Amino acid sequence: KAGVTQTPRYLIKTRGQQVTLSCSPISGHRSVSWYQQTPGQGLQFLFEYFSETQRNKGNFPGRFSGRQFSNSRSEMNVSTLELGDSALYLCASSPGQGGEQYFGPGTRLTVT
Amino acid sequence: KQEVTQIPAALSVPEGENLVLNCSFTDSAIYNLQWFRQDPGKGLTSLLLIQSSQREQTSGRLNASLDKSSGRSTLYIAASQPGDSATYLCAVKGNTGFQKLVFGTGTRLLVSP
């Protein structure tokens, strides 16, 4: 079974721009969660989607948004990028509630 | 609010040693606890998942235990190898029904040949 895939793997953007990251979960997995990892804050939860519905959201500003499609693929969008948004963005999928979570390789976003 | 702490923050051992990594959490109302490893610049690899009703899980040279009442978990690595060098993270999932994981800050392990 193919693992979680994330595209693109690397991105360089300028302050004020917006960016869209994509995550394809493991086949059959309906839950997708997003995390931000920075050296200072560690891994922080962004949001969780299940069956196209956002079920939970972390403590991030409204510039961070996401969605999930009927095939369970998910995208997250960050608008009006700030330098502090530079991070590794990780996506995780699981079959459903309470299941083991599997992470993708991440997208490294650099904001200049 | 759940807080997860990992001790030590860094560990350096010679090859062959058995070692223990510690994870503690403040709220015992968890659904499960998961141990991951992360290589530099890479994603997370799931090592072991322990459900709240379980006391331990084993996979190869790895053994993880869970004491929910005291808010502690340990990851035991037997006969360490240089390939075990990575950052080890523990994460807990609450009983809310959501998939949110709360992560510790990790233990950076270096195993020298």
Side-chain angles (χ1 to χ4, degrees):
Chain A
K1 228 180 204 182
V4 179
T5 59
Q6 292 186 246
T7 57
R9 294 293 312 280
Y10 303 92
L11 266 179
I12 300 176
K13 291 287 188 177
T14 303
R15 270 182 303 176
Q17 288 186 315
Q18 75 166 20
V19 67
T20 299
L21 313 181
S22 180
C23 171
S24 293
I26 292 172
S27 177
H29 286 193
R30 298 167 64 190
S31 171
V32 173
S33 300
W34 289 88
Y35 294 83
Q36 180 196 66
Q37 186 177 32
T38 59
Q41 299 297 318
L43 273 152
Q44 295 189 90
F45 172 79
L46 280 157
F47 23 65
E48 172 203 348
Y49 288 89
F50 183 83
S51 294
E52 301 179 66
T53 302
Q54 186 181 90
R55 299 179 69 237
N56 198 5
K57 190 178 192 310
N59 189 26
F60 279 82
R63 301 184 295 108
F64 291 81
S65 62
R67 58 178 176 169
Q68 186 180 34
F69 302 95
S70 58
N71 61 359
S72 294
R73 189 177 70 86
S74 178
E75 290 181 346
M76 68 163 282
N77 184 76
V78 188
S79 62
T80 320
L81 284 165
E82 300 176 359
L83 294 178
D85 296 334
S86 295
L88 181 66
Y89 290 87
L90 293 163
C91 161
S93 79
S94 66
Q97 182 177 327
E100 187 169 0
Q101 296 197 42
Y102 299 88
F103 280 76
T107 294
R108 171 74 63 184
L109 172 64
T110 302
V111 182
T112 62
Chain B
K1 177 190 169 188
Q2 179 74 271
E3 293 182 359
V4 182
T5 305
Q6 291 188 246
I7 294 173
L11 185 62
S12 182
V13 300
E15 181 177 5
E17 276 205 5
N18 302 323
L19 51 99
V20 175
L21 308 182
N22 297 292
C23 171
S24 61
F25 45 95
T26 54
D27 185 350
S28 62
I30 66 169
Y31 191 90
N32 60 39
L33 182 147
Q34 203 165 348
W35 281 93
F36 297 90
R37 71 171 277 170
Q38 185 176 33
D39 295 286
K42 303 291 180 65
L44 277 61
T45 300
S46 179
L47 298 173
L48 289 164
L49 171 72
I50 309 178
Q51 302 293 352
S52 62
S53 58
Q54 298 176 318
R55 295 301 299 266
E56 66 178 325
Q57 280 286 351
T58 297
S59 176
R61 295 182 294 109
L62 305 179
N63 175 277
S65 66
L66 174 64
D67 184 343
K68 204 171 65 164
S69 60
S70 67
R72 292 182 182 180
S73 176
T74 60
L75 178 66
Y76 175 83
I77 303 177
S80 59
Q81 304 170 357
D84 294 331
S85 298
T87 295
Y88 290 79
L89 295 149
C90 74
V92 298
K93 178 184 177 305
N95 271 334
T96 60
F98 301 124
Q99 289 294 80
K100 174 185 175 180
L101 290 173
V102 178
F103 282 86
T105 49
T107 293
R108 186 178 300 177
L109 173 66
L110 177 63
V111 182
S112 304

